[in-house]
Amino acid sequence: MKDTVFVMAINEALREELERDEKVFIIGEDVQQGTFGATGKLVQQFGKDRVMDTPLAETAVAGSAIGAAMTGYRPVADMMFGDFMWIAGDEIFLKAAKWHFLHAGKVNVPVVFMGAIGGGFKLGAEHSQSPEAVVMHTPGLKLVIPSTPYDAKGLLKTAIRDNNPVVFFYHKGLLGSPGQIPEEEYTIPFGVADIKREGTDVTIVATGMMVHHALAAAEQLKDKVSLEVIDPRTLEPFDLDTVVKSVQKTSRAVVVDEDTLRCGVTGEIAALIMENAFDYLDAPVQRVAAPNIPIPGGYMEKYALPQPRDIIAAVEAVMGNA
Amino acid sequence: MKLEKDDLIKLYKNMVLGKKIDTITIEGLAAGKVVSFFHSGQGSEGLAAGVASFLRDDDYIYPHHRGHGIVYLISKGFSGTEFLAEHFGFAGGCSQGISGFHSVDPEHGVLGSSGTIGSQFPLTLGWGLAAKKNGREQVAVGCFGDGSSNRGTLHEAFNLAAVWKLPIVWVCDNNGMAQYTPIADAYPREDIADLAAGYDMPGVVVDGMDVLAVHEVMQAAVARARAGEGPSLIEGKTHRFRAHSEGSPDVNHFEPRSEELIEKSKKRDPIKLFEKKLLAQKILTKKDIEKVDKELQAEADEMDRLATASGKPDPSILDKMLYAE
């Protein structure tokens, strides 16, 4: 194993896949430099035709990646901010997501849309969203949200090799977070959750940055309550088995996500737990997510982002101590 | 490329067969056999056949939405049976009845078609990018209407296609009407081809009712693309002979379109115009034309029969279709 940080793990995955398969290319605004560093220092090795800077034109970025994917290329379209996927809504949600199905499997769309998500940097309502609910909602899109450098690298390599459109969201607040990855090549299959911390009293299902908040809550509560923290890693496909098995053990569940509460992914996951593990539950499933407001900028941002203390309050509620 | 007798007949047949399938689709809708909707392409057959009849199988094309692309598709080698069966919602459709009307045939460079107008621009850009990367002198042809020319996606795709010198031919079927809105109320100039200058690419206006004129400008644009010199824009001036979609009111904004103007435009029916030329040049006789008509009607009827015979699809296919392996 070797030490790395999250953003370098993404960069390594891209480098290895560019090396492995000449059909892979990166396209997006200022990817040669890399706004967040994820795509930086690749153009020097692979040239401008495979690390393609575009002008400010999101529909052209997404559309040309999708078009090229349909002919057999494996583009990684860097949308910069996850929020910017909305500019290319037709391309991502109507074309990439639907065209394989719509055309009875005659075309494949093996494209990856990368985007930085999440708050914490006071960037305001259009640069801080966690738009996973809309992606998870849309049939035909796979969805990856890694929380560690190890997961980021292994899952991005799988995403690039997948024959379907994959949305790969990484949290801006995790880019500098440290971790270890193997020296040798590895990939991580989709649909396999990772238990980030074993516990016996409450199952916490958390995504992205919220995995770290859940781990912080678990550490704070360790003398009173034992939390099991599960990171689904991919929301589509979703590893329901691991979650259900955990709930069978703990009989209590809290679902945590940075997206808004209303119609957010916490609602879907909580419903899945109720439908599949209701008989094991000793308390209603609790959800922790952002309030139903756009994310404010400046000093008020933190009021719209779930905090470890919110997770602790939810744990107390399922334990009957609220 | 100089058109030999066989080439001229091929152009003619593509127009006539396409129109026959267009007509079957209109009748099928009235009869309840076509289960979605239909936007007839009658009036645009010359532009479509002139654009698509001599492309290579591996050239990509996004057919224009009029006639759901039928004349482009027939000209590119697409199966009329699959076109009709898809419109019937039947298993023999190009998408096994799942799409309802979207065409697909990767073997002939038709990678799909869209329900949203203007999405062809970024997708064609991607096909052009792939064509350039492939290095096999393929071209990508992106067809659109005067209506789609109002979309912002046009700018992003025209711009990048020109910056990257992609082998793309953009073809605008300007019939002057976008559903109920006339082009004069949607675009400030006379010619959409004028846009090309802003992207430093050639832009030509052609009489879209004259298949040979279209063929000529198309050949030049394709040659330029194959030679790696970049994209071009062709604007074919056409007429829309029927309403925007079958069963919808044929209005200009909210008032009936001028019947006089429609009748006048029909005097320049692209099929009739071409017939006159073929007769004058003694390529075909009146008798030949009658024979071709009969043969193509039989061919179209057989497509209708086969499409109908394919029957309703088994809905269990839906469970397997969401993702590729």
Side-chain angles (χ1 to χ4, degrees), chain B residues 150 176 180-188 252-253:
Chain B
N150 292 127
Y180 308 144
T181 300
I183 185 70
D185 294 339
Y187 178 71
N252 179 327
H253 290 296

Side-chain angles (χ1 to χ4, degrees), chain B residues 223-241:
Chain B
R224 178 181 146 83
R226 294 209 203 281
E229 290 164 21
S232 310
L233 170 60
I234 294 170
E235 176 187 4
K237 304 278 193 192
T238 63
H239 294 283
R240 198 182 79 196
F241 289 169

Side-chain angles (χ1 to χ4, degrees), chain A residues 49 55 57 59-60 63-64 67 70-71 73 90-91 94-95 99-104 106-108 140-141 163-164 236, chain B residues 60 82 94-95 98-99 102 104 106 111-114 116 119 122-123 126-127 130 133-134 156 160 321-325:
Chain A
D49 287 342
T59 62
S64 59
M70 294 172 73
T71 74
Y73 287 88
D90 184 9
E91 286 65 38
L94 299 188
K95 300 301 171 299
W99 272 32
H100 174 81
F101 177 89
L102 177 67
H103 295 113
K106 283 190 181 169
V107 290
N108 291 347
L141 294 176
N163 285 327
N164 298 282
E236 167 63 14
Chain B
Y60 305 116
E82 291 193 11
C94 57
S95 304
I98 294 176
S99 81
H102 303 251
V104 63
L111 299 179
S113 62
S114 175
T116 52
S119 54
L123 294 174
W127 302 335
K133 283 180 182 286
N134 290 340
E156 292 194 18
L160 267 175
M321 217 55 94
L322 187 59
Y323 290 124
E325 293 278 300

Side-chain angles (χ1 to χ4, degrees), chain B residues 209-220:
Chain B
M209 311 305 262
D210 179 349
V211 64
L212 294 180
V214 173
H215 170 76
E216 199 176 312
V217 294
M218 184 66 188
Q219 288 307 110

